[in-house]
């Protein structure tokens, strides 16, 4: 360990970095190529970069009309907005609800605590695919407001449409599933951070007359900021990247970016350049988070696994 | 409300919102799924209109060659992915466990693959595996070698490679964290006694890392059963059924074949499988803790030598 690393060591390191980043760099480069250049395959880096692919992808939110498009078929901009709304709102709600629950599990002894703790741990393993069928059924048929009822009627009058007002097809419907899906993980990870907060601080605040909520929000929360950051990134990552449940629950207006990408992939003739551009746009937020908060991500990962 | 009552209500006020959400959007749906799996259920029907068919869905599935095929594909996929990732990830951690500058940069670059959307990972690999314009076949062509039919003949292998690319860093980082938290004294003692690097790894490092490694492997195994998007984008389960994992089959049964009852029964099979894995992980950590306590107690009791 104290010996000087050999050249072979650096060669290995370099290969590993190349392998980890290579595919991403390839996608990045290809997103600036025309399809002709991608398919002809003349030279990896010798090409004229163009932002045409990005223009095609974002045609519905551009303020000008690019020359090369006659008809804007890819509604990527709208999907991008949907993705942002859904990911941000669900991350924020998951964090608030999750850290409160984690605090309750760590600091209080109450009836049903063991059941709650065990259930939280167990539902962590439920895959999205298992939720697909019941969530589809419930969100479409059961979690509805009667269209003749008071609130349902108001919504129908305001937005039009037919049938009962259901959760399926709304942002709220997708957000609800994402919160539920991420909560067990967030609670689990934050517990290990809350345990480390010294009890004496909380007691001091209590002696000074702070209520339980004041103690939590003013004393405990500021101390577990690193944990919150880690949990936020993991939650955002799942909400931002998820495809299956979003595709089952969204309608024309609430499609998220992953759905759009999958829909465009399954067509026979893939337009590689445009697809790569959309993929890049979907990948950019997580990449930025990783570059700026890798320390928190790694802390969160190890806290999650080592605690078991 | 008196202060006393308020105090007693506090934990419920903190845990309440989470409980409500998890009951509405996780536990109730799971119960609904179990209920639906005993019914002949079509997407156009409300569940109350459906007919009770007992265990029919489960029995049909049990004897359905397509489901068995996708179950074995899932097991092969999850098993080989975990084994390869553990070997490569732990191996790399042992190799790279040095104090070098830029280690944090390396780790940052390493976690990029797993932060990116599975959909995008599938998309990148589908391009690289493309029979004519893809990176791999072009490189092979350039080297004068024969092209490989990646997503055709070797679809399962190709899918496994993509997953190994995405998730080996996870194992690597956890293994590295475990390595760096090992007691320095044990390693120091071994070195003074003249243990070779290999002996240190086999007799000291690996046994000491084992608890973390086993939990990591189990976590990864549970996650490997959740993989869906990467495979969906790369192969859509094809060619034939060669890469159709259970998660994909559930979604196809529900949306294409429109048999929600069967899909629910399938989900339940998958859930039971994962339940066993989770219980295994749980039992293991409990056993580990008990063992650590015993050792600590024995050490405390033992007379000073």
């Amino acid at each position: 360990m104290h010996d000087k690393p050999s050249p072979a060591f650096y060669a290995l390191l370099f290969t590993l970095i190349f392998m980890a980043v290579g595919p991403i760099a390839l996608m990045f480069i290809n997103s600036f190529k025309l399809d002709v250049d991608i398919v002809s395959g003349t030279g990896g880096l010798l090409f004229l970069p163009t932002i045409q692919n990005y223009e095609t992808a974002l045609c519905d939110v551009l303020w000008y009309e690019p020359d090369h498009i006659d008809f804007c078929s890819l509604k990527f901009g709208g999907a991008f907005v949907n993705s942002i709304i859904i990911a941000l709102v669900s991350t924020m709600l998951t964090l608030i609800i999750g850290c409160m629950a984690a605090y309750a599990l760590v600091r209080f002894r109450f009836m049903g605590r063991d059941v709650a703790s065990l259930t939280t741990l167990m539902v962590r393993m439920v895959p999205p695919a298992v939720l697909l069928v019941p969530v589809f059924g419930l969100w479409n048929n059961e979690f509805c407001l009667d269209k003749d009822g008071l609130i349902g009627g108001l919504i129908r009058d305001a937005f039009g449409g037919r049938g009962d007002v259901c959760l399926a097809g709304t942002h709220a419907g997708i957000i609800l599933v994402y919160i539920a899906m991420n909560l067990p993980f967030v609670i689990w990870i934050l517990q290990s951070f809350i345990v480390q907060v010294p009890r004496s601080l909380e007691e001091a605040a209590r002696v000074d007359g702070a209520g339980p909520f004041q103690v939590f929000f003013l004393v405990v929360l500021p101390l577990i900021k690193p944990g919150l950051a880690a949990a936020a990134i993991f939650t955002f990552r799942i909400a931002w990247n998820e495809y299956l449940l979003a595709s089952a629950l969204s309608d024309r207006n609430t499609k998220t970016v992953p759905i759009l990408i999958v829909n465009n992939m399954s067509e026979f003739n893939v337009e590689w350049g445009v697809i790569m551009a959309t993929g890049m746009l979907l990948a950019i937020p997580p990449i930025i988070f990783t570059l700026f908060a890798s320390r928190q991500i790694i802390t969160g990962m190890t806290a999650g696994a080592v605690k078991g | 409300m008196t202060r006393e009552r308020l105090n007693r209500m506090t934990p419920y006020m903190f845990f309440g919102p989470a409980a409500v959400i998890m009951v509405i959007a996780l536990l109730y749906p799971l119960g609904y799924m179990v209920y639906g799996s005993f019914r002949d259920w079509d997407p156009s029907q409300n569940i109350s209109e459906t007919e009770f068919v007992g265990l029919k869905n489960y029995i049909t599935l049990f004897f359905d060659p397509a489901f068995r095929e996708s179950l074995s594909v899932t097991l092969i996929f999850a098993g080989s992915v975990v084994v390869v990732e553990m070997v490569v990830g732990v191996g790399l951690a042992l190799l790279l466990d040095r104090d070098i500058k830029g280690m944090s940069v390396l780790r940052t670059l390493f976690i990029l693959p797993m932060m990116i959307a599975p959909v995008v990972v599938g998309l990148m690999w589908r391009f690289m595996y493309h029979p004519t314009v893809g990176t791999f076949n072009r490189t092979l062509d350039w080297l004068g070698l024969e092209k490989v039919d990646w997503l055709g003949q070797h679809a399962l292998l190709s899918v496994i490679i993509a997953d190994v690319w995405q998730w080996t860093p996870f194992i690597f980082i956890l293994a590295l964290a475990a390595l760096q938290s090992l007691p320095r004294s044990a390693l120091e003692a071994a070195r003074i006694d003249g243990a070779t690097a290999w002996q240190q790894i086999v007799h000291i490092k690996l046994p000491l890392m084992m608890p973390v490694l086993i939990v990591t492997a189990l976590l990864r195994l549970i996650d490997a059963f959740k993989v869906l998007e990467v495979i969906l984008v790369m192969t859509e389960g094809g060619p034939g059924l060669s890469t159709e994992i259970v998660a994909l089959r559930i979604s196809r049964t529900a949306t294409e074949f429109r048999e929600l009852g069967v899909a629910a029964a399938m989900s339940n099979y998958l859930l039971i499988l994962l339940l066993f894995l989770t219980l295994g992980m749980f039992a293991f950590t409990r056993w580990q803790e008990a063992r650590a306590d015993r050792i600590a107690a024995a050490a405390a009791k033992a007379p000073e030598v």
Side-chain angles (χ1 to χ4, degrees):
Chain A
M1 243 133 293
H2 300 294
D3 51 347
K4 207 168 178 294
S6 62
F9 178 79
Y10 283 106
L12 173 74
L13 221 61
F14 190 75
T15 322
L16 287 175
I17 293 175
F18 177 75
M19 276 165 62
V21 185
I24 303 170
L26 184 75
M27 179 171 75
F28 182 71
I29 293 169
N30 275 337
S31 69
F32 289 101
K33 282 186 187 176
L34 292 177
D35 273 1
V36 209
D37 288 329
I38 297 177
V39 174
S40 73
T42 43
L45 291 165
L46 290 170
F47 66 96
L48 204 64
T50 166
I51 57 161
Q52 241 186 49
N53 294 324
Y54 287 93
E55 285 177 334
T56 314
L58 293 169
C59 56
D60 61 332
V61 284
L62 285 181
W63 57 95
Y64 60 93
E65 249 176 70
D67 303 329
H68 62 99
I69 314 169
D70 340 310
F71 177 68
C72 184
S73 59
L74 261 179
K75 300 270 188 276
F76 190 83
F80 209 73
V81 174
N82 284 334
S83 272
I84 290 176
I85 295 174
I86 290 172
L88 283 185
V89 173
S90 65
T91 305
M92 255 156 57
L93 290 176
T94 314
L95 276 189
I96 296 171
I97 299 171
C99 66
M100 282 168 58
Y103 184 66
L105 288 181
V106 172
R107 280 292 189 258
F108 295 102
R109 300 275 165 271
F110 57 97
M111 224 179 72
R113 176 182 170 276
D114 293 334
V115 179
S117 166
L118 193 68
T119 316
T120 315
L121 203 64
M122 293 302 285
V123 288
R124 212 180 87 93
M125 55 93 185
V126 175
V130 167
L131 289 176
L132 177 70
V133 173
V135 161
F136 179 80
L138 284 172
W139 268 233
N140 273 304
N141 297 319
E142 312 259 316
F143 290 176
C144 295
L145 291 166
D146 195 346
K147 66 176 168 202
D148 300 322
L150 182 64
I151 305 170
L154 279 176
I155 296 175
R156 268 290 159 265
D157 291 342
F159 296 102
R162 270 175 295 140
D164 292 341
V165 183
C166 290
L167 258 185
T170 62
H171 289 117
I174 304 176
I175 290 170
L176 177 63
V177 196
Y178 285 174
I179 297 177
M181 236 169 54
N182 281 317
L183 262 183
F185 177 72
V186 168
I187 294 176
W188 197 47
I189 225 174
L190 286 181
Q191 277 183 342
S192 59
F193 285 91
I194 293 178
V195 169
Q196 292 167 6
V197 175
R199 251 168 202 270
S200 52
L201 283 179
E202 289 169 58
E203 260 138 39
R206 209 164 294 133
V207 170
D208 288 347
F213 283 92
Q214 280 170 310
V215 170
F216 177 66
F217 284 105
L218 301 178
V219 178
V220 178
L221 268 197
L223 288 172
I224 57 165
K225 265 188 202 148
L228 287 175
I233 291 170
F234 284 107
T235 315
F236 180 87
R237 170 181 153 255
I238 295 195
W240 178 257
N241 294 345
E242 209 276 339
Y243 159 78
L244 185 69
L245 291 171
S247 80
L249 292 180
S250 66
D251 64 5
R252 213 155 32 90
N253 299 319
T254 47
K255 276 202 169 83
T256 56
V257 182
I259 302 174
L260 226 67
I261 292 182
V262 171
N263 288 351
N264 281 301
M265 281 302 280
S266 42
E267 278 157 31
F268 180 68
N269 196 1
V270 181
E271 290 177 33
W272 284 111
V274 178
I275 278 287
M276 297 271 182
T278 53
M280 210 55 224
L281 286 171
L282 185 65
I284 283 171
I287 290 179
I288 291 176
F289 278 133
T290 314
L291 295 182
F292 283 101
S294 62
R295 188 179 297 264
Q296 278 79 5
I297 295 175
I298 291 168
T299 320
M301 259 168 51
T302 34
V306 177
K307 207 186 152 257
Chain B
M1 210 189 283
T2 62
R3 181 134 192 128
E4 188 89 343
R5 165 102 50 87
L6 186 76
N7 278 344
R8 215 177 308 140
M9 289 306 292
T10 312
Y12 297 101
M13 274 147 75
F14 273 104
F15 198 77
V20 169
I21 297 253
M22 286 201 286
V23 166
I24 290 180
L26 272 180
L27 299 178
Y28 181 51
L30 286 179
Y32 190 79
M33 178 199 77
V34 174
Y35 177 73
S37 67
F38 297 110
R39 303 194 149 244
D40 189 12
W41 183 14
D42 187 80
S44 58
Q45 289 168 307
N46 204 319
I47 198 157
S48 51
E49 304 160 1
T50 55
E51 195 191 333
F52 178 76
V53 290
L55 284 171
K56 183 168 155 274
N57 292 330
Y58 289 92
I59 294 168
T60 324
L61 276 177
F62 191 77
F63 292 107
D64 178 11
F67 176 65
R68 286 182 169 196
E69 175 73 26
S70 72
L71 198 61
S72 76
V73 168
T74 312
L75 292 176
I76 293 173
F77 173 79
S80 36
V81 153
V82 172
V83 171
V84 175
E85 285 167 13
M86 286 304 289
V87 171
V88 178
V90 175
L92 287 178
L94 288 170
L95 272 175
L96 299 182
D97 177 27
R98 306 176 192 221
D99 299 323
I100 49 162
K101 269 187 202 157
M103 198 56 188
S104 61
V105 177
L106 180 77
R107 281 195 294 196
T108 307
L109 294 178
F110 265 21
I111 48 179
L112 277 180
M114 57 182 158
M115 298 305 286
I116 290 179
V119 169
V120 178
V121 171
L123 154 82
M124 293 188 303
W125 284 84
R126 180 158 158 187
F127 174 75
M128 292 197 291
Y129 281 139
H130 193 279
T132 50
V133 303
T135 318
F136 293 137
N137 272 355
R138 225 177 237 163
T139 314
L140 288 176
D141 209 29
W142 182 68
L143 291 170
L145 297 169
E146 208 162 313
K147 287 183 180 176
V148 176
D149 187 9
W150 295 103
L151 292 178
Q153 272 177 322
H154 308 287
L156 189 54
L157 179 70
S158 309
V159 170
I160 289 173
I161 294 176
D163 192 85
V164 168
W165 174 78
Q166 197 186 4
W167 286 105
T168 303
F170 175 74
I171 313 275
F172 168 75
I173 283 172
L174 292 186
L176 195 64
L179 254 181
Q180 291 176 342
S181 64
L182 291 186
R184 288 287 145 199
S185 56
L187 295 173
E188 207 72 37
R191 207 167 22 241
I192 292 168
D193 287 348
T196 62
W198 179 249
Q199 282 171 329
Q200 284 181 33
I201 289 174
V202 175
H203 295 297
I204 297 173
K205 288 182 185 171
L206 280 182
L208 283 175
M209 285 161 75
M210 221 16 112
V212 178
L213 291 187
I214 289 178
V215 173
T216 311
L218 281 168
L219 272 182
R220 186 64 208 116
L221 191 63
I222 291 171
D223 275 350
F225 284 98
K226 297 187 185 173
V227 173
L228 174 114
E229 285 105 331
V230 178
I231 299 182
L232 175 77
V233 172
M234 277 172 69
T235 65
E236 285 164 53
L241 294 177
S242 58
T243 53
E244 193 167 85
I245 50 163
V246 173
L248 212 58
R249 181 135 196 103
I250 293 173
S251 108
R252 270 186 73 195
T253 314
T255 54
E256 256 176 62
F257 313 145
R258 301 173 68 77
E259 288 171 341
L260 289 187
V262 181
M266 219 182 282
S267 313
N268 218 358
Y269 271 130
L270 182 62
L271 203 60
I272 292 168
L273 186 72
L274 286 171
L275 194 69
F276 275 113
L277 283 176
T278 314
L279 284 178
M281 183 166 103
F282 210 55
F284 176 77
T285 43
R286 276 289 150 86
W287 176 78
Q288 194 67 41
E289 276 164 19
R291 188 162 160 261
D293 288 348
R294 265 207 316 279
I295 293 172
K301 239 192 279 172
E304 294 281 330
V305 185

